[in-house]
Amino acid sequence: MKLVLAFDVGTSGCKAALVNEEGKLQGTAFEPYPTHYPRPLWAEQNPEDWWQAVCTTTRRLLDQQQVPPSHIAGIAFSTQMVNLLPVDREGNPLRPCISWLDGRAEEEAQQVMRKVGGRVIFAALVGVAITGKDVLPKYLWLKKNEPQIYQQAAALMDCSGYLLARATGRLVAEWTVSSVTGVFNLKTKTWDTTLIRFLGLDTGKFPELVLPFEQVGGLTRRAAQELGLLEGTPVFGGAGDAMTAAVGSGAVGEGEGHLCLGTSGFVGIVTSRRVVGKRGIPTIQSADPSKLLLIAETETAGACLKWAAREFFQREPDAEIFIRMDQEVNRIEAGSARLIFTPWMYGERTPIADERLRAAFINLGANHSYAHMLRAVYEGVGYNMRWIVENIEELYGFKPDPLRTMGGGAKGLPWVQIVADITGRTLECVAEPQQTTALGAAYLAMVGLKWLPSIEAVKKLVQVTHTVRPQEATRAIYDELFAVFKQIYPQLKGIYHRLNYH
């Protein structure tokens, strides 16, 4: 039996998945790793942690499933995006990776926008204002603050590029993850060398581009030994996590959408239309070369629930705690007795681009219990998602209904029901909600191996296990509280900026 080995290398850890020729999941493994916060607004990861997690999960999975290395027909990675890692000619990291969570480059973001006439004009031209969390300002931060490392760097990579280099020995950049850098031309599918030079960056530090289903190379002898696989095993380009989520959800047709309730959350729409980003919703390259992905990301979704689990129950979140949380939430009426939570734990990207934002409980009173606070956290993410969905409809005319739903949060029926009720959309939960991105990467490898004729052929592989429809009974209270939710940011923006100016 031939199998594909796919990895979802995310923020909290690495998921490995074995997938057979029919697209069925044969086994999974997970290995966590930390994120480091050396200074306010800074967030970094050690790239070696990613690779060791890939190696650990590979060996564990092959051992558990009793799969010989010769059965692995191909490998692909799904990776976190919007991060920066300078590497030397051998692909060795020159510093820790600057994470997508990192907001240190705000000054550089303002500098870029000033070069083209300011924030308003920049947003009108590009479709979205940038913040210190975006990759482009991070390039400039590195050049200004760590000039020796910048000069040493043979390539300005990210999580995807590092793993492909570690596996194959080649320095390449995959299309989809490159499209979030700000210097990838979505029309020509090439690096925008004019813009790169205009910003004072070196075009030579941006490596050769590869497609998601393109074979980058074979495993090197060293990589094969570390992974416990055969030298020369084909390695495919893979894609960023948002793009593999779209593929893994099966929502790959024109105008189809998916909603992810992971550590972060996002709504994505696949389209062949040449849409331009607006109001913090960028358009990036889809895993399908002929389509774009319109994506709106909220920085913390499941992360809010994990925070509540950890702080309210004084222990690390696990399945038992989340079951208990769901039970507590179910006994509280919709609207949490008019208590509102804003889910901006680490700043926000969409529907409001502002890294100085933070979470808050609004209207907390003596009548509220911790169970009200728990439900308010669930609902707060729902309000944010509704704001995103309404922006997509207003700006682009897309109204995908149903939305394919995945991520760890899709396992909790109360939360999915709350999001359905607040957004007014039907949510279709896929069979493997926590493995969707890894499965998406596996499907890309299957296209590369010619097991599938196209990315659109993935649709027939994805099963929906249950459908959650919005309840009419909750509409009035959620409409009222959502209207209040949208007023919170303009009312408190000044306070957040005073408190979080570092």
Side-chain angles (χ1 to χ4, degrees):
M1 177 190 292
K2 288 294 185 180
L3 300 162
V4 165
L5 182 57
F7 303 91
D8 173 15
V9 184
T11 308
S12 58
C14 171
K15 298 173 189 172
L18 277 173
V19 181
N20 67 20
E21 292 178 82
E22 285 74 47
K24 301 297 183 185
L25 193 65
Q26 296 290 104
T28 64
F30 177 76
E31 182 70 16
Y33 41 73
T35 301
H36 306 284
Y37 303 95
R39 290 174 58 179
L41 295 181
W42 288 33
E44 298 181 342
Q45 289 192 323
N46 181 356
E48 184 64 23
D49 289 343
W50 303 332
W51 181 251
Q52 289 306 317
V54 168
C55 294
T56 299
T57 52
T58 299
R59 290 180 174 275
R60 186 184 302 153
L61 198 49
L62 296 186
D63 182 58
Q64 289 174 350
Q65 300 297 318
Q66 297 185 327
V67 173
S70 59
H71 284 197
I72 304 301
I75 293 171
F77 298 101
S78 165
T79 60
Q80 53 180 293
M81 299 187 292
V82 196
N83 45 53
L84 171 60
L85 179 65
V87 300
D88 65 19
R89 294 189 183 281
E90 284 71 49
N92 299 310
L94 298 174
R95 70 170 328 281
C97 177
I98 301 176
S99 168
W100 62 274
L101 284 166
D102 191 290
R104 74 182 68 185
E106 177 61 24
E107 183 180 326
E108 287 72 23
Q110 298 302 322
Q111 173 191 333
V112 170
M113 290 189 286
R114 282 195 299 270
K115 278 198 168 190
V116 292
R119 181 186 180 91
V120 174
I121 293 175
F122 184 94
L125 290 172
V126 179
V128 56
I130 56 174
T131 74
K133 290 188 174 183
D134 287 295
V135 185
L136 184 50
K138 288 170 183 172
Y139 292 148
L140 298 175
W141 183 93
L142 182 73
K143 182 180 179 182
K144 176 183 175 182
N145 293 278
E146 298 179 357
Q148 287 183 319
I149 289 177
Y150 177 82
Q151 291 301 327
Q152 271 185 275
L156 300 175
M157 305 287 267
D158 62 0
C159 179
S160 167
Y162 171 76
L163 292 170
L164 291 173
R166 192 71 184 259
T168 69
R170 288 185 65 196
L171 296 185
V172 297
E174 185 275 320
W175 273 28
T176 68
V177 296
S178 299
S179 74
V180 304
T181 62
V183 292
F184 179 88
N185 189 311
L186 286 170
K187 292 180 181 178
T188 63
K189 313 300 184 186
T190 59
W191 293 117
D192 192 332
T193 53
T194 302
L195 178 59
I196 291 170
R197 291 191 191 98
F198 175 71
L199 294 168
L201 297 169
D202 183 354
T203 58
K205 296 185 186 298
F206 294 85
E208 177 188 353
L209 292 159
V210 295
L211 286 162
F213 43 78
E214 180 179 339
Q215 184 173 334
V216 176
L219 285 178
T220 65
R221 180 176 299 178
R222 178 187 172 192
Q225 289 174 344
E226 292 175 342
L227 289 164
L229 296 173
L230 297 182
E231 182 180 355
T233 301
V235 179
F236 296 91
D241 51 12
M243 296 78 167
T244 55
V247 174
S249 75
V252 291
E254 176 64 33
E256 293 181 344
H258 65 280
L259 183 151
C260 179
L261 293 172
T263 301
S264 61
F266 53 83
V267 175
I269 311 288
V270 172
T271 180
S272 56
R273 285 167 45 188
R274 299 293 98 182
V275 291
V276 176
K278 299 175 184 175
R279 208 179 293 171
I281 306 172
T283 50
I284 53 182
Q285 180 61 50
S286 165
D288 185 335
S290 67
K291 294 184 174 69
L292 298 178
L293 182 66
L294 187 69
I295 185 161
E297 181 190 13
T298 176
E299 296 283 51
T300 48
C304 296
L305 271 65
K306 290 178 182 177
W307 170 84
R310 188 172 59 249
E311 298 305 321
F312 288 3
F313 296 95
Q314 296 298 300
R315 55 186 271 194
E316 283 304 304
D318 56 22
E320 179 187 337
I321 289 298
F322 286 119
I323 290 171
R324 183 175 169 188
M325 285 170 62
D326 286 349
Q327 291 170 343
E328 295 289 350
V329 163
N330 266 338
R331 67 183 181 85
I332 302 297
E333 291 185 0
S336 303
R338 309 180 76 78
L339 175 65
I340 295 176
F341 175 78
T342 62
W344 307 319
M345 301 289 286
Y346 206 81
E348 187 53 293
R349 186 171 295 272
T350 318
I352 301 155
D354 191 339
E355 67 270 23
R356 297 187 188 183
L357 275 183
R358 293 296 180 269
F361 285 99
I362 306 294
N363 202 39
L364 181 64
N367 60 306
H368 293 117
S369 66
Y370 83 94
H372 286 98
M373 297 175 75
L374 276 178
R375 185 174 181 105
V377 171
Y378 284 48
E379 291 174 337
V381 176
Y383 295 136
N384 229 35
M385 286 295 186
R386 175 169 170 175
W387 202 349
I388 286 170
V389 167
E390 289 190 356
N391 279 346
I392 290 173
E393 182 179 358
E394 177 189 340
L395 295 171
Y396 302 101
F398 289 114
K399 190 176 180 179
D401 193 3
L403 283 165
R404 286 287 173 92
T405 306
M406 80 288 295
K411 294 179 67 178
L413 190 56
W415 197 19
V416 176
Q417 185 67 65
I418 285 169
V419 174
D421 290 348
I422 291 175
T423 61
R425 303 298 171 90
T426 296
L427 304 183
E428 292 182 339
C429 298
V430 298
E432 301 287 349
Q434 288 184 285
Q435 308 299 333
T436 311
T437 47
L439 281 167
Y443 297 154
L444 292 175
M446 290 169 67
V447 174
L449 289 163
K450 305 293 192 273
W451 294 359
L452 289 172
S454 67
I455 289 176
E456 289 214 359
V458 165
K459 186 181 290 290
K460 65 183 180 183
L461 302 180
V462 181
Q463 291 183 314
V464 172
T465 56
H466 56 282
T467 300
V468 179
R469 294 177 172 82
Q471 302 172 107
E472 184 64 31
T474 64
R475 179 180 294 183
I477 184 64
Y478 282 143
D479 283 352
E480 179 186 1
L481 293 179
F482 175 64
V484 176
F485 182 87
K486 289 196 293 183
Q487 296 175 17
I488 293 170
Y489 174 69
Q491 296 287 337
L492 296 184
K493 175 182 176 180
I495 292 173
Y496 282 123
H497 282 221
R498 287 184 65 184
L499 292 174
N500 302 311
Y501 57 87
H502 291 299

